Amino acid sequence: MPTLILVRHGRSTANTEGLLAGWTPGVALDERGAAQAAALPGRLAELPLAEIVTSPLQRCRETIRPLLDARPELSPHTDERIGECHYGDWSGRKLAELADEPLMEVVQAHPSAAAFPGGESMRAMQTRAAEAVREWNARVERDHGADAVYLMCSHGDIIKSLVADALGLHLDLFQRISVEPCSITAIRYTRLRPFLVRLGETGDLTSLVPRAEPPAGEAEVGGGAGAP
């Protein structure tokens, strides 16, 4: 079966403002995110991509634009199932404010029980994304062969949930996974089981540099802004 390249969108204005964007319209890449997107064609230059699939949200479409410009033979497919989690009433709110919500503790420690007010549950998010991947795996194999490579541009929580699915991890463990903006994760699917062959590859180690204020011990809902 095919190999899936998962690209998280580049750093966005919501990331730098500390907002939980969700499906809020008008969230674009910031200056650094645009630079990350511009570097993506070079990072993927050796890969013969059969298809490109993207979340419908602006920050993902902006991330793959340079890649599409470099590969005019490819036309993007949009799939809402790999769009960001529907955070409902939490969308557009400051993450610092949400930290005091009782639900945030559940999101961190027991995400399989978490459902966002006016939005969806994290279980539903993982299910729809995993179903999309399985359908695209079959489609890509049918149209391009079992050794094909294809790309999906999506969001932090979606990618983390797909990694957990590939590793056979319970959703309650997915907050232990981290994927930075414009990072590359690769999963090779086979008839019996998937193999995680890259996780959160950015090409640099700046996110490991000690910070003046050590990060909190909690996962960043939505994926975080990456290295400063």
Side-chain angles (χ1 to χ4, degrees):
M1 295 182 72
T3 296
L4 170 61
I5 306 299
L6 288 162
V7 176
R8 185 184 167 200
H9 62 79
R11 195 174 74 175
S12 73
T13 53
N15 293 146
T16 49
E17 293 170 9
L19 300 176
L20 185 61
W23 284 69
T24 304
V27 177
L29 299 183
D30 68 5
E31 185 176 352
R32 178 170 181 170
Q36 291 170 333
L40 196 57
R43 295 170 63 197
L44 298 171
E46 300 301 316
L47 295 182
L49 297 177
E51 301 282 1
I52 294 179
V53 187
T54 182
S55 156
L57 295 174
Q58 178 179 341
R59 52 198 183 273
C60 286
R61 291 186 283 108
E62 289 181 353
T63 298
I64 63 165
R65 175 51 53 194
L67 182 60
L68 293 170
D69 290 343
R71 303 198 186 197
E73 73 280 7
L74 293 175
S75 298
H77 304 274
T78 299
D79 195 324
E80 291 195 358
R81 294 174 297 176
I82 62 167
E84 181 64 281
C85 184
H86 290 276
Y87 296 118
D89 297 343
W90 280 25
S91 299
R93 292 182 59 188
K94 288 275 190 182
L95 286 164
E97 297 173 0
L98 292 170
D100 295 328
E101 294 279 355
L103 177 60
M104 183 60 85
E105 187 176 14
V106 182
V107 170
Q108 293 292 330
H110 191 19
S112 65
F116 296 98
E120 70 178 333
S121 69
M122 301 199 91
R123 295 188 316 280
M125 173 198 75
Q126 183 186 44
T127 297
R128 62 173 165 86
E131 286 178 351
V133 166
R134 282 161 174 74
E135 288 182 20
W136 276 102
N137 282 347
R139 178 173 173 174
V140 169
E141 181 172 7
R142 181 197 68 206
D143 295 344
H144 302 283
D147 295 327
V149 179
Y150 75 106
L151 180 147
M152 283 184 167
C153 186
S154 188
H155 306 266
D157 281 350
I158 295 288
I159 294 172
K160 288 161 55 178
S161 75
L162 289 172
V163 170
D165 174 76
L167 292 176
L169 293 177
H170 196 282
L171 184 61
D172 286 345
L173 301 179
F174 100 124
Q175 297 289 28
R176 302 183 183 192
I177 300 165
S178 177
V179 290
E180 294 222 339
C182 224
S183 63
I184 293 172
T185 293
I187 302 171
R188 186 173 71 248
Y189 288 87
T190 73
R191 186 174 66 85
L192 296 179
R193 58 186 177 271
F195 293 87
L196 179 67
V197 293
R198 292 289 188 280
L199 175 61
E201 176 64 53
T202 62
D204 66 66
L205 300 176
T206 54
S207 65
L208 302 180
V209 175
R211 304 184 188 181
E213 294 184 9
E218 305 292 359
E220 295 186 76
V221 181

